[in-house]
């Protein structure tokens, strides 16, 4: 879920430098060979059109064959040894056959198409590996173990159950443990998704990968390194991503039968007439013509241009869709699951109301902001922002003391000011406590966070803070309900009060609060087991398992954690929830165009094949018909590049 500014800086300091997208792509051998094949094809085409000598452009086309075809040819031969036949090998044979009868351009085009497809698949696989490595970066390089009264720096993997560890202020926690001494605020957003650090005291659990606040803690390890919540997230992301990587586009699901059918038919067209006494050259020409007109070039282009055009259009409107497979799955989504903090909400606390006791509201805010003005705590930042919004001057502050788990104490204009959690009431005299306690209970029952302000031992104000919902959240939820026929669901690690309040505001009836990352993933799998096709929208590390195991995972781009961005299938670059309904509509339109293109391509192939088998199909006419249908379906798919194809809900604009 969301990150605070302080946690973002800690993560930035500890994260290893990320390679650029371009360098990561170029590091893949499949990408380099596909790029080489494309360049050679372009050079061959330019030489061909310019009227250069035939040996020159033939040499360039054949070099394209080698660069883009050696790997699918090798893969196809290996599959053939395993008694399977795939489209890769069929394309290589068709390309060679085209060159054998003088149609080297057609063969080179097939090679480029399939080399590019293989490069994209390799890149998607590499991104999955990157996401797991990014998650492992959350584990600190060392932990401090206390043994025989001495401190010992060890790798977290060497920690054992019942070891006692010391966590200093600001350190990342190295193990799942139970606090035995000390009090502090712990930023648990990476695990539970809670928008603000939570107070942790002796007897309470802390998680590996989370960040300690201002207090020092002694904690006893109660889970081995391989069984921490963070380790289980790693395992779930790897498993779910590997499962999703085995999915394919519709056309790939029928490639085996189609390939076998074309090869058998080509052989029959060549062998049977020869057995019956036909001449070799016309028989070979007919068989090669058949293989070319039956090749699935038009079918491949029937699928890819509309999907890639839709991806490009979505990108222009701030949605990064990572593959054509993702867009195909988006068209089938019937259930949307939202994370809360940082997804439906903005992920940062704001002051929503001020209650004063014996003074005015502005004075309570001014004193609280003065005491908190040098703190990096997200609640402190919200209080200071409220003072600035009210244009309140902040007086000088002295003798600032942080009280882990309680807040800060400072001298402001000669008065002792305490600002912090409602636990401060335990330290104050009974006078005035009853009214403040009632206000605290009312705020917390509504799912808000209460910050108490006390001056010289008496409560003077109560600031109510909450995580504000995104302006477009309600209209997007309503539009998605209409589109899918199912009300979206809310899965969050936050408390039930805050979740219920937000769900009521947005009109979401199905919600589950207090969930750990594994619980979110389990809820998603339960929906899938019930026959639902699930879209999960989240922004944080704790959402990664759910994003990975969902049919489609979408991450928030601006506030999202690196792992969520890498694990997700698509990214809302500008965090605009209003783009979700438009994206689903676009995916469904792309699918309709794909179906129409497949009908066009299939009909063209059927007519040309029947002509070649029953009558006599001249090779130039066969190539013209084949390329004509290819161009037609490609142009039909490119219609989705028009801006009019993107329709966001009016209320979300």
């Amino acid at each position: 879920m969301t990150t605070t500014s302080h946690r973002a800086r800690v993560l930035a300091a500890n994260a290893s430098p990320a390679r650029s997208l371009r360098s990561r792509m170029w590091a893949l051998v499949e990408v380099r060979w596909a790029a080489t094949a494309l360049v050679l094809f372009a050079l061959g085409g330019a030489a061909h059109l310019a009227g250069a000598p035939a040996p020159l452009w033939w040499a360039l086309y054949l070099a394209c064959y080698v660069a883009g075809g050696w790997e699918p040819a090798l893969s196809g031969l290996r599959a053939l040894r395993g008694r399977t036949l795939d489209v890769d090998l069929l394309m290589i044979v068709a390309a060679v056959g085209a060159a054998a009868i003088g149609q080297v351009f057609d063969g080179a085009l097939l090679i480029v198409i399939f080399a590019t497809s293989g490069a994209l698949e390799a890149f998607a696989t590499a991104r999955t590996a990157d996401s797991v490595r990014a998650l492992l970066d959350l584990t600190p390089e060392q932990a401090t173990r206390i043994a025989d009264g001495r401190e010992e720096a060890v790798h977290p993997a060497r920690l054992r159950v019942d070891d006692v560890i010391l966590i200093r202020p600001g350190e990342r926690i190295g193990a799942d443990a139970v606090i035995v001494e000390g009090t502090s605020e712990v930023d648990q957003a990476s695990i539970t998704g809670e928008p603000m650090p939570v107070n942790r005291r002796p007897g309470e659990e802390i998680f590996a990968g989370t960040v300690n606040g201002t207090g020092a803690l002694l904690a006893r390890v109660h889970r081995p390194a391989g069984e921490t919540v963070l380790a289980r997230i790693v395992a779930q992301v790897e498993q779910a991503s590997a499962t999703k990587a085995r999915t394919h586009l519709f056309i790939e699901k029928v490639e085996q039968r189609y390939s076998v059918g074309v090869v058998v038919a080509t052989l029959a067209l060549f062998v049977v007439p020869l057995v019956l006494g036909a001449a070799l050259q016309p028989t070979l020409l007919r068989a090669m013509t058949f293989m070319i007109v039956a090749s699935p070039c038009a079918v491949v282009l029937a699928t890819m241009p509309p999907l890639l055009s839709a991806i490009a259009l979505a990108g222009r409107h701030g949605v990064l869709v990572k593959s054509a497979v993702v867009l195909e799955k988006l068209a089938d989504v019937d259930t949307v699951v939202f994370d809360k903090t940082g997804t439906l909400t903005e992920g940062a606390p704001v002051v929503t109301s001020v209650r004063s006791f014996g003074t005015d509201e502005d004075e309570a805010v001014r004193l609280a902001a003065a005491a908190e003005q040098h703190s990096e705590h997200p609640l402190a930042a919200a209080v200071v922002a409220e003072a600035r919004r009210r244009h309140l001057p902040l007086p000088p502050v002295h003798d600032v003391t942080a009280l882990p788990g309680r807040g800060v104490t400072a001298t402001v204009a000669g008065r002792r000011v305490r600002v912090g959690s409602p636990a401060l009431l335990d330290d104050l005299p009974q006078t005035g406590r009853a009214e403040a306690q009632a206000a605290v209970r009312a705020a917390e029952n509504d799912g808000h966070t209460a910050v108490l302000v006390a001056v010289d031992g008496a409560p003077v104000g109560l600031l109510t803070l909450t995580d504000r919902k995104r302006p477009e959240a309600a209209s997007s939820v309503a539009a998605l309900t209409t589109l899918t026929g199912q009300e979206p669901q809310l899965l969050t690690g936050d408390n039930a009060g805050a979740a219920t309040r937000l769900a009521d505001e947005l009109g979401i009836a199905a919600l589950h609060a207090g969930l750990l990352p594994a619980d979110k993933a389990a809820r998603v799998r339960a929906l899938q087991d019930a026959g639902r096709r699930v879209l999960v929208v989240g922004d944080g590390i704790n959402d990664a398992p759910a994003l990975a195991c969902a049919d489609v995972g979408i991450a928030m781009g601006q506030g999202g954690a690196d792992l969520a961005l890498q694990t997700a299938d698509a990214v809302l670059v500008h965090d605009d929830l209003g783009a979700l309904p438009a994206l689903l509509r676009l995916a469904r339109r792309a699918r309709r165009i794909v179906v129409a293109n497949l009908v066009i391509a299939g009909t063209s192939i059927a007519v040309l094949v029947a002509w070649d088998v029953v009558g006599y199909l001249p090779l130039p006419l066969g190539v013209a018909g084949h390329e004509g249908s290819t161009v037609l379906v490609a142009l039909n798919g490119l219609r989705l590049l028009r801006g009019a194809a993107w329709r966001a809900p009016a209320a979300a604009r």
Side-chain angles (χ1 to χ4, degrees):
M1 302 174 86
T2 190
T3 58
T4 64
S5 59
H6 173 67
R7 186 166 68 89
R9 286 193 292 273
V10 174
L11 281 172
N14 291 336
S16 58
R19 291 178 297 167
S20 68
L21 179 64
R22 182 183 301 174
S23 64
R24 277 184 289 175
M25 289 189 68
W26 196 247
L28 299 172
V29 64
E30 294 89 349
V31 172
R32 294 198 297 271
W33 282 115
T36 303
L38 180 60
V39 170
L40 290 169
F41 177 75
L43 291 175
H48 195 172
L49 292 174
L56 175 60
W57 47 265
W58 263 86
L60 290 169
Y61 282 143
L62 292 178
C64 170
Y65 272 57
V66 174
W70 73 268
E71 190 170 25
L74 185 60
S75 174
L77 290 173
R78 287 171 178 166
L80 196 60
R81 282 201 296 267
R83 298 184 179 182
T84 60
L85 185 64
D86 58 20
V87 165
D88 285 356
L89 186 59
L90 178 63
M91 287 301 94
I92 297 301
V93 174
V96 172
I101 59 175
Q103 302 299 322
V104 68
F105 171 83
D106 298 303
L109 177 60
L110 290 176
I111 291 293
V112 168
I113 289 173
F114 274 76
T116 303
S117 175
L120 291 175
E121 183 176 352
F123 179 63
T125 302
R127 292 283 290 184
T128 297
D130 284 346
S131 70
V132 174
R133 282 194 293 270
L135 182 56
L136 292 174
D137 285 342
L138 288 176
T139 304
E141 294 184 359
Q142 68 177 29
T144 303
R145 181 168 58 189
I146 305 298
D148 299 325
R150 293 178 296 130
E151 296 182 10
E152 176 187 8
V154 298
H155 192 278
R158 293 178 54 196
L159 293 174
R160 299 291 180 263
V161 174
D162 291 334
D163 281 353
V164 175
I165 57 175
L166 170 65
I167 307 110
R168 294 184 173 86
E171 284 187 346
R172 188 171 296 281
I173 297 169
D176 285 6
V178 175
I179 298 173
V180 295
E181 184 180 320
T183 301
S184 185
E185 296 159 337
V186 179
D187 185 346
Q188 298 188 153
S190 60
I191 300 298
T192 66
E194 292 165 292
M196 290 168 280
V198 294
N199 296 328
R200 283 292 175 257
R201 298 178 176 84
E204 295 182 329
E205 183 178 21
I206 52 179
F207 301 108
T210 58
V211 180
N212 188 24
T214 56
L217 298 174
L218 282 178
R220 190 178 304 278
V221 177
H222 75 127
R223 288 195 190 99
E227 298 178 12
T228 64
V229 173
L230 183 61
R232 292 201 295 270
I233 294 177
V234 172
Q236 288 175 335
V237 170
E238 285 182 315
Q239 181 180 4
S241 298
T243 300
K244 290 174 74 172
R246 291 194 292 268
T247 62
H248 302 282
L249 290 171
F250 167 78
I251 191 60
E252 294 174 344
K253 297 176 183 177
V254 297
E255 69 174 41
Q256 176 67 21
R257 294 177 182 176
Y258 187 88
S259 301
V260 172
V262 171
V263 170
V264 170
T266 301
L267 291 175
L269 278 176
F270 180 64
V271 174
V272 173
L274 287 180
V275 172
L276 296 178
L280 175 62
Q281 185 171 350
T283 301
L284 177 60
L285 183 61
R286 180 190 292 266
M288 288 297 97
T289 301
F290 174 86
M291 176 167 279
I292 288 175
V293 299
S295 69
C297 187
V299 177
V300 171
L301 288 179
T303 302
M304 295 307 294
L307 297 179
L308 294 179
S309 297
I311 289 173
L313 180 62
R316 294 207 306 267
H317 288 84
V319 183
L320 172 63
V321 179
K322 295 184 179 180
S323 74
V325 176
V326 173
L327 200 72
E328 189 182 57
K329 288 184 175 182
L330 274 167
D332 294 322
V333 164
D334 59 20
T335 302
V336 180
V337 172
F338 283 106
D339 164 49
K340 173 184 169 288
T341 307
T343 302
L344 290 172
T345 68
E346 295 179 347
V350 293
V351 176
T352 55
S353 66
V354 179
R355 175 85 176 270
S356 60
F357 313 115
T359 186
D360 61 49
E361 292 183 2
D362 282 356
E363 181 64 8
V365 173
R366 188 178 73 91
L367 293 173
E372 295 274 28
Q373 61 185 302
H374 301 301
S375 173
E376 292 186 339
H377 194 287
L379 294 182
V383 172
V384 173
E386 178 65 14
R388 289 173 179 164
R389 188 186 69 82
R390 295 175 179 236
H391 305 291
L392 301 176
L394 301 185
V397 61
H398 307 283
D399 303 326
V400 180
T401 304
L403 305 173
R406 288 179 177 265
V408 298
T409 300
T411 300
V412 180
R415 293 184 289 178
R416 198 63 175 160
V417 177
R418 299 185 68 178
V419 183
S421 71
L424 289 177
L425 287 170
D426 297 338
D427 302 332
L428 302 181
Q430 289 293 330
T431 305
R433 284 176 56 174
E435 185 180 5
Q437 286 173 332
V440 167
R441 283 195 298 270
E444 293 181 340
N445 288 340
D446 288 338
H448 299 295
T449 298
V451 172
L452 186 71
V453 185
V455 177
D456 295 330
V460 298
L462 185 75
L463 280 62
T464 300
L465 293 89
T466 192
D467 186 8
R468 186 166 50 197
K469 72 175 184 291
R470 295 187 184 276
E472 73 279 9
S475 60
S476 299
V477 167
L480 289 169
T481 301
T482 302
L483 270 174
T484 63
Q486 300 282 344
E487 206 173 73
Q489 299 193 17
L490 176 61
L491 303 183
T492 178
D494 209 349
N495 64 77
T500 301
R501 179 179 55 81
L502 179 67
D504 290 343
E505 291 178 3
L506 299 180
I508 298 177
L511 68 96
H512 303 277
L515 302 179
L516 289 176
D519 302 325
K520 289 187 177 183
R523 292 282 181 183
V524 171
R525 284 192 292 268
L527 289 171
Q528 292 171 322
D529 292 342
R532 303 281 184 86
R533 293 179 175 87
V534 183
L535 164 63
V536 171
V537 188
D539 75 314
I541 294 163
N542 62 315
D543 300 317
L547 290 169
C549 72
D551 294 281
V552 180
I554 296 183
M556 308 298 283
Q558 293 184 347
D562 287 345
L563 179 66
L565 298 176
Q566 293 171 2
T567 303
D569 303 298
V571 177
L572 298 179
V573 178
H574 305 303
D575 288 1
D576 179 15
L577 293 177
L580 286 174
L583 181 62
L584 261 61
R585 290 191 188 98
L586 180 65
R588 293 179 179 185
R589 185 175 181 186
R591 180 174 60 183
R592 291 195 297 269
I593 292 179
V594 166
V595 171
N597 278 354
L598 288 173
V599 171
I600 294 171
T603 301
S604 173
I605 289 174
V607 170
L608 293 174
V609 164
W611 191 346
D612 186 56
V613 172
V614 177
Y616 169 69
L617 176 63
L619 179 60
L621 186 58
V623 171
H626 179 264
E627 296 302 326
S629 65
T630 300
V631 171
L632 179 60
V633 298
L635 292 177
N636 191 38
L638 293 177
R639 290 190 299 120
L640 287 180
L641 287 173
R642 297 179 303 160
W646 182 267
R647 292 186 295 117
R653 289 175 184 169

